[in-house]
Amino acid sequence: MRPVLIVLTVLAAALFAASLLTGPAGIGTVDGLRALILGGEGPMPIVMREIRLPRAILGLAVGAGLGLTGAAMQGYLRNPLAEPGLIGVSGMAALGAVIAIQTGLSATAALALPAAALLGAAIGVGLLVMLAGPRGGSITLILAGIAISALAGAGTALVLNLSPNPYAANEIVFWLMGSLADRSMLHLWLALPPMAVGAALIWTTGRALDALTLGEAAASAMGVSPSGLRWRLILGVALVVGPATAVAGAIGFVGLVVPHMLRPWVRARPGALLPASALGGAALLLAADIAVRLILPERDLKLGVLTALVGAPLFLHLIWKTRSGGRM
Amino acid sequence: MRGSVPVSDQIRGGLAAILLASLAAPAGAGPQRVVSMNLCTDQIAMLLAAPGQLISVSDLARDPRMSPMAEQAAAYPVNHGRAEEIYLMRPDLVIAGQYAPGPTVAMLRRLGLRVEVLPPAESIDAIRGEIAHMGRLLGRQRAAEALLARFDQGLGAARHDRDRGRAALYYANGFTSGRDTLAGAIIEAAGYDNIAADYGITDTTALPLELLVMSRPDRLITGARWPGRSRSEAILDHPALASVAPRTAGVTDRDWICGTPFILRAIEALE
């Protein structure tokens, strides 16, 4: 195992524990862990098991999913600007989720929520791959991403504004920015299985992505089936981003920042970047989720605010570099 | 609960008498064309106005989810709180709530209409004050006195001084209400201690779910569900809430929204 993976695993595990121990109830470390593992009487086990545990696991899973899909899309599109949040894949997933919730589909069948979000994400990533392709054209990718993002955002706002529910319109910000506040085990069981399948599917693309760095022709010569790779990638990204967005909203920039920071540590090999980015994404999202609880505990500050504060300057920097030097 | 049947009968009898009283009695010297544009002032105005004196209530007054007087409100033309429609009704008194849009109120005043703005009643004393104030505005002091007497009587029957345990109010987005709110006054009148006091909360503000669970309420009263669906309301389905207070059985429905004599029904429902 590479040292970078060990460091990232330790970091993510530490942040997972910190996430479990962060909260307004002021539960001590020992008491909290005992209540979590052994249970017992009183409200403390409920807080630890029903409130903090699902939040921490979701932080880990959603962060890992976003890091992984970001790395995979960047590898396939051969473009460092690709990221599910920015180019509308998460937005399309949010639109699917909002439609499932507001039409009542998610109330009749619980699986309708992740399924609709998955479908939205698949349409988003499918459109992007169709338009931009693996040749790495930045302009096409960004323009297509802007269009898909804008369409998804407007659709989400429209559906929520049409809802008869007085709270619905205020939730536009959740779907645009994401939050893990007060998610329960029910959400976890809804999102985790499809995300695991999607992650496994993306895992299998590692070697093909490595081959693709030599160019499409060389990759084909090495036995990589272009259409097979494309479909595995689209399906894998949709399976991860769709359910993650359905329960946590659209969280941007995780899939951008993490692969960018870790790329030098894996000698820029897309295949090796996949596990590193998953671990790094988990660590980043857990850290952001701890921060929102420490900075403004009473306000439910959205996760996307923090990730954008870190990620947007980096995004501008990347655009600057692609503008002056062709592509990276 | 033993003894609750005669009490609730008294309250229902009192409410019926209140409603009947509003239908009788001729108009006094007050304004003759009154428009109310707020759900809460609608109800007190309907309870007090002479026949024909109140010419319009807000559209919300007809919504059975929010208005305990939805049936009575069906007899009145509705307004939607817009200056133009209200001006065209030619009122000689417009009664607005404190949260009416400022520009609308300013526009109506500029058009020469008398607009009275009433704050929301957040306590039982404030409700009594509001009824008396409305009586003066409408020139219906006698009707207001009669309503107040019946309200006091109903309150005496409904109030519970015995300590009945700790109650928590929990609404969409994880909000709770403390002592200085109408909902807080209702659960206090019903004999419960509000857990919001543990955290120094006196008004309506967000309370993290963790803190609610840690305070171990005996009774949980959740916000009403609205049509359509929202993520904000999903917190009310959180398994942690169900495990901390299995005996939920309390929803802040239309009787909890406005400071009117109908809060007696809300207090009674907590028996």
PDB file of all heavy atoms in Angstrom, chain B residues 6-28:
ATOM      1  N   PRO B   6     -66.391  16.621  31.574  1.00  0.00           N
ATOM      2  CA  PRO B   6     -67.152  17.857  31.847  1.00  0.00           C
ATOM      3  C   PRO B   6     -66.368  19.095  31.451  1.00  0.00           C
ATOM      4  O   PRO B   6     -66.972  20.048  30.935  1.00  0.00           O
ATOM      5  CB  PRO B   6     -67.400  17.793  33.353  1.00  0.00           C
ATOM      6  CG  PRO B   6     -66.581  16.673  33.878  1.00  0.00           C
ATOM      7  CD  PRO B   6     -66.280  15.769  32.759  1.00  0.00           C
ATOM      8  N   VAL B   7     -65.043  19.082  31.654  1.00  0.00           N
ATOM      9  CA  VAL B   7     -64.269  20.283  31.300  1.00  0.00           C
ATOM     10  C   VAL B   7     -64.395  20.563  29.809  1.00  0.00           C
ATOM     11  O   VAL B   7     -64.706  21.681  29.399  1.00  0.00           O
ATOM     12  CB  VAL B   7     -62.787  20.079  31.687  1.00  0.00           C
ATOM     13  CG1 VAL B   7     -61.950  21.205  31.135  1.00  0.00           C
ATOM     14  CG2 VAL B   7     -62.656  20.019  33.200  1.00  0.00           C
ATOM     15  N   SER B   8     -64.201  19.506  28.983  1.00  0.00           N
ATOM     16  CA  SER B   8     -64.244  19.769  27.551  1.00  0.00           C
ATOM     17  C   SER B   8     -65.661  20.166  27.124  1.00  0.00           C
ATOM     18  O   SER B   8     -65.832  20.957  26.209  1.00  0.00           O
ATOM     19  CB  SER B   8     -63.763  18.535  26.793  1.00  0.00           C
ATOM     20  OG  SER B   8     -64.444  17.403  27.242  1.00  0.00           O
ATOM     21  N   ASP B   9     -66.676  19.634  27.821  1.00  0.00           N
ATOM     22  CA  ASP B   9     -68.033  20.053  27.491  1.00  0.00           C
ATOM     23  C   ASP B   9     -68.220  21.536  27.766  1.00  0.00           C
ATOM     24  O   ASP B   9     -68.825  22.260  26.978  1.00  0.00           O
ATOM     25  CB  ASP B   9     -69.050  19.258  28.322  1.00  0.00           C
ATOM     26  CG  ASP B   9     -69.322  17.902  27.671  1.00  0.00           C
ATOM     27  OD1 ASP B   9     -68.795  17.696  26.564  1.00  0.00           O
ATOM     28  OD2 ASP B   9     -70.034  17.083  28.272  1.00  0.00           O
ATOM     29  N   GLN B  10     -67.670  21.963  28.910  1.00  0.00           N
ATOM     30  CA  GLN B  10     -67.791  23.386  29.245  1.00  0.00           C
ATOM     31  C   GLN B  10     -67.135  24.246  28.167  1.00  0.00           C
ATOM     32  O   GLN B  10     -67.673  25.267  27.766  1.00  0.00           O
ATOM     33  CB  GLN B  10     -67.086  23.681  30.560  1.00  0.00           C
ATOM     34  CG  GLN B  10     -67.942  23.409  31.782  1.00  0.00           C
ATOM     35  CD  GLN B  10     -67.146  23.719  33.027  1.00  0.00           C
ATOM     36  OE1 GLN B  10     -66.494  24.748  33.084  1.00  0.00           O
ATOM     37  NE2 GLN B  10     -67.196  22.832  34.006  1.00  0.00           N
ATOM     38  N   ILE B  11     -65.965  23.789  27.707  1.00  0.00           N
ATOM     39  CA  ILE B  11     -65.240  24.589  26.718  1.00  0.00           C
ATOM     40  C   ILE B  11     -66.036  24.650  25.419  1.00  0.00           C
ATOM     41  O   ILE B  11     -66.213  25.709  24.843  1.00  0.00           O
ATOM     42  CB  ILE B  11     -63.839  23.997  26.473  1.00  0.00           C
ATOM     43  CG1 ILE B  11     -63.022  24.130  27.754  1.00  0.00           C
ATOM     44  CG2 ILE B  11     -63.150  24.719  25.345  1.00  0.00           C
ATOM     45  CD1 ILE B  11     -61.744  23.337  27.723  1.00  0.00           C
ATOM     46  N   ARG B  12     -66.543  23.502  25.019  1.00  0.00           N
ATOM     47  CA  ARG B  12     -67.310  23.495  23.770  1.00  0.00           C
ATOM     48  C   ARG B  12     -68.542  24.374  23.906  1.00  0.00           C
ATOM     49  O   ARG B  12     -68.875  25.126  23.018  1.00  0.00           O
ATOM     50  CB  ARG B  12     -67.725  22.069  23.418  1.00  0.00           C
ATOM     51  CG  ARG B  12     -66.590  21.309  22.813  1.00  0.00           C
ATOM     52  CD  ARG B  12     -67.044  20.131  22.015  1.00  0.00           C
ATOM     53  NE  ARG B  12     -65.900  19.230  21.917  1.00  0.00           N
ATOM     54  CZ  ARG B  12     -65.705  18.217  22.745  1.00  0.00           C
ATOM     55  NH1 ARG B  12     -66.590  17.907  23.673  1.00  0.00           N
ATOM     56  NH2 ARG B  12     -64.630  17.474  22.627  1.00  0.00           N
ATOM     57  N   GLY B  13     -69.214  24.270  25.078  1.00  0.00           N
ATOM     58  CA  GLY B  13     -70.384  25.104  25.313  1.00  0.00           C
ATOM     59  C   GLY B  13     -70.007  26.572  25.235  1.00  0.00           C
ATOM     60  O   GLY B  13     -70.688  27.379  24.600  1.00  0.00           O
ATOM     61  N   GLY B  14     -68.866  26.900  25.872  1.00  0.00           N
ATOM     62  CA  GLY B  14     -68.410  28.292  25.864  1.00  0.00           C
ATOM     63  C   GLY B  14     -68.144  28.763  24.447  1.00  0.00           C
ATOM     64  O   GLY B  14     -68.559  29.861  24.067  1.00  0.00           O
ATOM     65  N   LEU B  15     -67.491  27.935  23.637  1.00  0.00           N
ATOM     66  CA  LEU B  15     -67.184  28.344  22.266  1.00  0.00           C
ATOM     67  C   LEU B  15     -68.456  28.531  21.456  1.00  0.00           C
ATOM     68  O   LEU B  15     -68.578  29.483  20.689  1.00  0.00           O
ATOM     69  CB  LEU B  15     -66.299  27.289  21.600  1.00  0.00           C
ATOM     70  CG  LEU B  15     -64.823  27.426  21.917  1.00  0.00           C
ATOM     71  CD1 LEU B  15     -64.067  26.220  21.404  1.00  0.00           C
ATOM     72  CD2 LEU B  15     -64.281  28.700  21.289  1.00  0.00           C
ATOM     73  N   ALA B  16     -69.420  27.621  21.652  1.00  0.00           N
ATOM     74  CA  ALA B  16     -70.673  27.759  20.919  1.00  0.00           C
ATOM     75  C   ALA B  16     -71.337  29.078  21.284  1.00  0.00           C
ATOM     76  O   ALA B  16     -71.837  29.808  20.417  1.00  0.00           O
ATOM     77  CB  ALA B  16     -71.589  26.589  21.232  1.00  0.00           C
ATOM     78  N   ALA B  17     -71.305  29.393  22.590  1.00  0.00           N
ATOM     79  CA  ALA B  17     -71.928  30.646  23.023  1.00  0.00           C
ATOM     80  C   ALA B  17     -71.206  31.840  22.410  1.00  0.00           C
ATOM     81  O   ALA B  17     -71.831  32.812  21.973  1.00  0.00           O
ATOM     82  CB  ALA B  17     -71.902  30.733  24.549  1.00  0.00           C
ATOM     83  N   ILE B  18     -69.870  31.748  22.342  1.00  0.00           N
ATOM     84  CA  ILE B  18     -69.089  32.839  21.750  1.00  0.00           C
ATOM     85  C   ILE B  18     -69.510  33.047  20.299  1.00  0.00           C
ATOM     86  O   ILE B  18     -69.754  34.161  19.850  1.00  0.00           O
ATOM     87  CB  ILE B  18     -67.576  32.504  21.824  1.00  0.00           C
ATOM     88  CG1 ILE B  18     -67.097  32.622  23.258  1.00  0.00           C
ATOM     89  CG2 ILE B  18     -66.780  33.411  20.919  1.00  0.00           C
ATOM     90  CD1 ILE B  18     -65.721  32.020  23.497  1.00  0.00           C
ATOM     91  N   LEU B  19     -69.614  31.951  19.582  1.00  0.00           N
ATOM     92  CA  LEU B  19     -69.946  32.062  18.160  1.00  0.00           C
ATOM     93  C   LEU B  19     -71.354  32.614  17.979  1.00  0.00           C
ATOM     94  O   LEU B  19     -71.602  33.443  17.118  1.00  0.00           O
ATOM     95  CB  LEU B  19     -69.819  30.692  17.486  1.00  0.00           C
ATOM     96  CG  LEU B  19     -68.397  30.146  17.469  1.00  0.00           C
ATOM     97  CD1 LEU B  19     -68.362  28.757  16.858  1.00  0.00           C
ATOM     98  CD2 LEU B  19     -67.486  31.082  16.679  1.00  0.00           C
ATOM     99  N   LEU B  20     -72.295  32.156  18.817  1.00  0.00           N
ATOM    100  CA  LEU B  20     -73.677  32.628  18.687  1.00  0.00           C
ATOM    101  C   LEU B  20     -73.760  34.108  19.019  1.00  0.00           C
ATOM    102  O   LEU B  20     -74.445  34.872  18.339  1.00  0.00           O
ATOM    103  CB  LEU B  20     -74.600  31.830  19.611  1.00  0.00           C
ATOM    104  CG  LEU B  20     -74.937  30.421  19.098  1.00  0.00           C
ATOM    105  CD1 LEU B  20     -75.766  29.673  20.116  1.00  0.00           C
ATOM    106  CD2 LEU B  20     -75.682  30.514  17.770  1.00  0.00           C
ATOM    107  N   ALA B  21     -73.022  34.506  20.057  1.00  0.00           N
ATOM    108  CA  ALA B  21     -73.102  35.902  20.489  1.00  0.00           C
ATOM    109  C   ALA B  21     -72.702  36.823  19.351  1.00  0.00           C
ATOM    110  O   ALA B  21     -73.240  37.925  19.215  1.00  0.00           O
ATOM    111  CB  ALA B  21     -72.196  36.119  21.701  1.00  0.00           C
ATOM    112  N   SER B  22     -71.775  36.385  18.520  1.00  0.00           N
ATOM    113  CA  SER B  22     -71.294  37.278  17.475  1.00  0.00           C
ATOM    114  C   SER B  22     -72.356  37.496  16.405  1.00  0.00           C
ATOM    115  O   SER B  22     -72.294  38.462  15.659  1.00  0.00           O
ATOM    116  CB  SER B  22     -70.041  36.686  16.837  1.00  0.00           C
ATOM    117  OG  SER B  22     -70.397  35.552  16.082  1.00  0.00           O
ATOM    118  N   LEU B  23     -73.315  36.577  16.331  1.00  0.00           N
ATOM    119  CA  LEU B  23     -74.319  36.723  15.275  1.00  0.00           C
ATOM    120  C   LEU B  23     -75.441  37.677  15.700  1.00  0.00           C
ATOM    121  O   LEU B  23     -76.125  38.247  14.859  1.00  0.00           O
ATOM    122  CB  LEU B  23     -74.906  35.349  14.924  1.00  0.00           C
ATOM    123  CG  LEU B  23     -73.875  34.360  14.392  1.00  0.00           C
ATOM    124  CD1 LEU B  23     -74.509  32.997  14.182  1.00  0.00           C
ATOM    125  CD2 LEU B  23     -73.288  34.870  13.089  1.00  0.00           C
ATOM    126  N   ALA B  24     -75.614  37.800  17.023  1.00  0.00           N
ATOM    127  CA  ALA B  24     -76.704  38.654  17.500  1.00  0.00           C
ATOM    128  C   ALA B  24     -76.246  40.103  17.591  1.00  0.00           C
ATOM    129  O   ALA B  24     -75.190  40.458  17.064  1.00  0.00           O
ATOM    130  CB  ALA B  24     -77.176  38.146  18.852  1.00  0.00           C
ATOM    131  N   ALA B  25     -77.019  40.944  18.229  1.00  0.00           N
ATOM    132  CA  ALA B  25     -76.685  42.332  18.566  1.00  0.00           C
ATOM    133  C   ALA B  25     -76.509  43.234  17.334  1.00  0.00           C
ATOM    134  O   ALA B  25     -75.802  42.883  16.387  1.00  0.00           O
ATOM    135  CB  ALA B  25     -75.418  42.396  19.417  1.00  0.00           C
ATOM    136  N   PRO B  26     -77.126  44.379  17.310  1.00  0.00           N
ATOM    137  CA  PRO B  26     -77.072  45.298  16.157  1.00  0.00           C
ATOM    138  C   PRO B  26     -75.765  46.076  16.085  1.00  0.00           C
ATOM    139  O   PRO B  26     -74.998  46.106  17.043  1.00  0.00           O
ATOM    140  CB  PRO B  26     -78.245  46.228  16.411  1.00  0.00           C
ATOM    141  CG  PRO B  26     -78.371  46.280  17.904  1.00  0.00           C
ATOM    142  CD  PRO B  26     -77.936  44.948  18.414  1.00  0.00           C
ATOM    143  N   ALA B  27     -75.510  46.709  14.974  1.00  0.00           N
ATOM    144  CA  ALA B  27     -74.299  47.492  14.781  1.00  0.00           C
ATOM    145  C   ALA B  27     -74.338  48.763  15.622  1.00  0.00           C
ATOM    146  O   ALA B  27     -75.382  49.375  15.766  1.00  0.00           O
ATOM    147  CB  ALA B  27     -74.130  47.854  13.313  1.00  0.00           C
ATOM    148  N   GLY B  28     -73.162  49.140  16.152  1.00  0.00           N
ATOM    149  CA  GLY B  28     -73.089  50.352  16.940  1.00  0.00           C
ATOM    150  C   GLY B  28     -72.712  51.533  16.069  1.00  0.00           C
ATOM    151  O   GLY B  28     -73.013  51.579  14.873  1.00  0.00           O
TER     152      GLY B  28
END
